[in-house]
CSV table of all heavy atoms in Angstrom, one decimal:
chain,number,residue,atom,x,y,z
E,1209,GLN,N,-2.2,-2.9,-0.1
E,1209,GLN,CA,-3.2,-2.2,-1.0
E,1209,GLN,C,-3.4,-0.8,-0.5
E,1209,GLN,O,-3.6,-0.5,0.6
E,1209,GLN,CB,-4.5,-3.0,-1.1
E,1209,GLN,CG,-4.4,-4.4,-1.6
E,1209,GLN,CD,-3.8,-5.4,-0.7
E,1209,GLN,OE1,-4.1,-5.4,0.5
E,1209,GLN,NE2,-2.9,-6.2,-1.1
E,1210,LEU,N,-3.4,0.1,-1.5
E,1210,LEU,CA,-3.6,1.5,-1.2
E,1210,LEU,C,-4.6,2.1,-2.1
E,1210,LEU,O,-4.6,1.9,-3.3
E,1210,LEU,CB,-2.2,2.3,-1.4
E,1210,LEU,CG,-1.0,1.8,-0.6
E,1210,LEU,CD1,0.2,2.4,-1.1
E,1210,LEU,CD2,-1.2,2.0,0.9
E,1236,SER,N,5.3,-3.4,6.1
E,1236,SER,CA,5.5,-2.8,4.8
E,1236,SER,C,5.0,-1.4,4.6
E,1236,SER,O,5.2,-0.8,3.6
E,1236,SER,CB,5.0,-3.8,3.7
E,1236,SER,OG,5.6,-5.0,3.7
E,1298,MET,N,-1.7,14.4,-10.8
E,1298,MET,CA,-2.2,13.2,-10.2
E,1298,MET,C,-1.4,12.9,-8.9
E,1298,MET,O,-0.2,12.9,-8.9
E,1298,MET,CB,-2.1,12.0,-11.2
E,1298,MET,CG,-2.7,10.7,-10.7
E,1298,MET,SD,-4.5,10.8,-10.7
E,1298,MET,CE,-4.8,10.6,-12.5
E,1304,ASP,N,6.3,1.6,1.9
E,1304,ASP,CA,7.4,0.6,1.9
E,1304,ASP,C,7.9,0.4,3.3
E,1304,ASP,O,7.7,1.2,4.2
E,1304,ASP,CB,8.5,1.1,1.0
E,1304,ASP,CG,9.4,0.0,0.4
E,1304,ASP,OD1,9.5,-1.0,1.1
E,1304,ASP,OD2,9.9,0.2,-0.7
E,1306,ILE,N,11.2,0.3,3.6
E,1306,ILE,CA,12.4,1.0,3.4
E,1306,ILE,C,12.1,2.5,3.2
E,1306,ILE,O,11.1,2.9,2.5
E,1306,ILE,CB,13.2,0.5,2.2
E,1306,ILE,CG1,13.5,-1.0,2.4
E,1306,ILE,CG2,14.5,1.3,2.0
E,1306,ILE,CD1,14.1,-1.6,1.2
Side-chain angles (χ1 to χ4, degrees):
Q1209 294 76 41
L1210 303 169
S1236 295
M1298 183 70 78
D1304 205 332
I1306 300 172

